[in-house]
Amino acid sequence: MNRTFDWKRWIPSTGSGSRAAGARKSAARAAGTLIALYLAGCLALTWWWDFEPDQFAVRDNAVREAERGNREVVTGYTTTATLIRLAETLLDKRGGYLSNDLFPPGVWMDNVPNWEFGVLTQVRDTARAYRIDFARSQSQSREDPDLAQAEGKFFFDNSSWVFPPSEAEYGDGTELLRAYLERLSDPTQPDAQFYARADNLQQWLQGVETRLGSLSQRLSASVGKRQLNVDLAGDAAAVQATDAPLDRSYKTPWLEIDDVFYEARGQTWALLHLLRAMEHDFGDVLDKKNARVSLQQIIRELEPTQQAIWSPVILNGDGLGFLANHSLVMASYISRANAAIIDLRALLAQG
């Protein structure tokens, strides 16, 4: 029997396997390309969103607000328009509101969200001052209904993503402030008022003093410090709930140093605008107390807090060490402003 050797049977077939391997390689390359493009896009957005809004002129802002509604700039209008602009900036700035983002790149960012929280803190404090002091003639008078609702809106959780999102609540609070602003300048609605009195300004400044004092301590703790317990100093009859150590060490964790720094930047950015607006609306009170220059000095002390940061990271040198410490520099500006606020409150308290 004649048999021929079929050599093709002894060569393994590689066609289908090669095609499958090639398809897998192509899919892997495509997936890698998509991931690289996605990460590049996230990095570009991170750079674009890592942005602190510029300062604005509070009086020009009030005039534009009045012109849009065909209103007159009355007492309290400038401060209220400034408060509205601060709240709107949180929502409308480049990148929008980032504190509640759950997806990249917002979830990776912390500088801007901490700046947002600083601004939000001042918005909350001022909204409360409106409800309690600025819009009420005396302690037994009725609170303004729009301001009562607005305060609660701004105190909503700053990191809520849905049901409802933080932006929706803060947007509602802004609209309630705008409704109050429209009534404030309407002579047919005398129930909406802004009382520019020395005691109202002094009360608001007391809250500002407390905020700045806390910020100064937190910033100074970037290098660590030991502090004596002065909780009950000055009052021999004072007591507290539980005993506390006579001496305690404070140090901000390394990963939180830039968080505190940018929160301070946000608070001082908002506070600068509010102080300039207060100078306009409380001008007569300040002039009567010969205290306008004192308020201007507070503004002057806070202005350096908004200088450009040329370092790519927030440095944390040891006090007088080789490297700078940005937190201590910020604490210095804030401490001087706080001391000036104490002096201004003393002037306002005088008859």
Side-chain angles (χ1 to χ4, degrees), residues 18-97:
S18 297
R19 286 193 296 271
R24 287 193 295 268
K25 289 181 180 179
S26 297
R29 283 196 297 266
T33 301
L34 289 175
I35 292 173
L37 290 174
Y38 174 74
L39 292 176
C42 287
L43 289 175
L45 283 178
T46 299
W47 173 81
W48 181 250
W49 290 354
D50 191 13
F51 164 78
E52 297 176 35
D54 295 331
Q55 298 180 51
F56 59 89
V58 296
R59 297 193 60 180
D60 293 344
N61 176 69
V63 170
R64 286 194 298 270
E65 188 73 35
E67 289 175 348
R68 279 198 295 265
N70 195 23
R71 301 290 183 181
E72 182 182 355
V73 179
V74 297
T75 300
Y77 199 99
T78 301
T79 303
T80 310
T82 300
L83 182 59
I84 292 172
R85 177 74 177 270
L86 296 180
E88 288 179 337
T89 300
L90 285 174
L91 308 179
D92 300 337
K93 62 177 175 54
R94 185 190 300 176
Y97 185 72

Side-chain angles (χ1 to χ4, degrees), residues 104-117:
V107 72
W108 296 338
M109 302 173 66
D110 62 349
N111 292 346
V112 174
N114 280 291
W115 182 90
E116 291 173 347
F117 185 72

